[in-house]
Amino acid sequence: MPDLSKRQRQYLDAMGIEVWVPRDAAPEPVAEPLAGPPPAPAGGEAAAPPPAAEADPATLVATGGPDADSPIHRLDWTALAARVASCTRCELHRSRTHTVFGVGNPDADWMIIGEAPGAEEDRQGEPFVGRAGQLLTNMLRAVGLQRDDVYIANILKCRPPGNRDPEVEEMEACTPYLNRQIQLVNPRLILAVGRFAAHYLLNSKASLASLRGQVHQYAATGTPVVVSYHPAYLLRSPAQKGKAWADLKLARQVVAGSASNTET
């Protein structure tokens, strides 16, 4: 195994990790992002409207087209993003600045799932920005990934006022969106960061410490799940960064196929 590059050591330093002795080969390159949906074919006669699959997803919500009332689990990326942007399924829509849909490679091996947008995410409409986002970026770089190589999302698509804990009905309202994102990405791994994300994805109330170090499974899709600390928590508790690094190595092993499901 070759020595660490200077750049990788810099990323590990940013995480607070002094040394890195990799046990695995670097992960395989992630596929290029999928291209957007093909243009809709020309419509038929006026008396016979085209089926939902042939409609232009870019105008579905705005025009009340076929996908405006389609089940969420049938929506493609464009229609799903439009549905989230216009969502009023819970009261959080009244206080949001922007919905926070998700970013990254729609064909990623890794999917990072957090709890909910914060104030900066609400302003920018993108998950994991600010200092916590910078730390997450460095964590990913330490395992050979760029931010654009993974797909990043939250359970909630709107910020809870005052960054309070999500309520059950809010998470239930957003679950169909998250499930569809997971189905569309079809990742080889979900990295659940933070207590709320871990508890919700695993339907568990166990401590984060007891959930770490194992390969779990998200029941809705059967996707392997590794649990770690939220980057915002690591900024407050830098002594835990070594444990987060161990979680990233386990996640890398899962994607490489060298870690089995150890959940009991």
Side-chain angles (χ1 to χ4, degrees):
M1 179 65 64
D3 294 337
L4 288 175
S5 69
K6 181 178 179 181
R7 179 168 295 182
Q8 284 175 315
R9 289 187 181 277
Q10 290 173 342
Y11 297 146
L12 289 168
D13 287 342
M15 289 178 61
I17 308 300
E18 296 182 358
V19 294
W20 174 32
V21 182
R23 295 186 243 171
D24 313 316
E28 297 179 359
V30 179
E32 291 296 323
L34 292 176
E45 297 179 1
E54 296 182 356
D56 182 356
T59 59
L60 291 174
V61 173
T63 63
D67 274 358
D69 296 318
S70 292
I72 292 172
H73 69 272
R74 294 181 182 174
L75 301 179
D76 64 13
W77 278 114
T78 305
L80 183 65
R83 181 74 64 86
V84 169
S86 63
C87 180
T88 58
R89 289 168 63 90
C90 77
E91 291 301 304
L92 290 181
H93 77 277
R94 300 185 183 277
S95 58
R96 73 188 179 213
T97 303
H98 295 101
T99 55
V100 181
F101 180 69
V103 294
N105 183 351
D107 194 33
D109 284 341
W110 291 54
M111 187 167 181
I112 317 297
I113 298 178
E115 171 188 329
E120 193 61 32
E121 287 80 5
D122 177 63
R123 281 191 290 270
Q124 297 189 33
E126 181 174 330
F128 286 90
V129 296
R131 293 181 63 218
Q134 291 171 3
L135 178 56
L136 177 62
T137 298
N138 284 333
M139 292 167 66
L140 292 171
R141 286 173 174 169
V143 287
L145 296 171
Q146 299 298 317
R147 188 178 172 97
D148 290 343
D149 292 333
V150 305
Y151 193 86
I152 305 174
N154 285 307
I155 295 172
L156 294 190
K157 309 308 182 190
C158 298
R159 178 198 179 200
N163 291 343
R164 64 162 170 74
D165 291 342
E167 297 178 356
V168 173
E169 59 268 24
E170 295 164 353
M171 292 189 288
E172 289 177 346
C174 276
T175 294
Y177 300 136
L178 180 66
N179 283 347
R180 185 55 178 157
Q181 286 177 302
I182 296 173
Q183 291 168 351
L184 288 169
V185 175
N186 192 25
R188 298 177 67 181
L189 167 84
I190 292 173
L191 181 66
V193 292
R195 175 173 57 92
F196 266 92
H199 285 176
Y200 192 69
L201 291 171
L202 301 180
N203 192 26
S204 171
K205 293 298 182 183
S207 68
L208 197 67
S210 67
L211 294 173
R212 290 184 52 255
Q214 304 176 59
V215 182
H216 305 273
Q217 189 177 77
Y218 183 42
T221 58
T223 309
V225 176
V226 169
V227 172
S228 190
Y229 297 107
H230 196 285
Y233 171 78
L234 295 175
L235 290 172
R236 301 190 301 269
S237 306
Q240 304 300 321
K241 288 182 178 180
K243 295 179 181 178
W245 176 234
D247 300 333
L248 290 175
K249 290 191 290 184
L250 175 59
R252 187 178 60 184
Q253 291 170 5
V254 172
V255 173
S258 58
S260 60
N261 191 324
T262 59
E263 185 179 22
T264 57

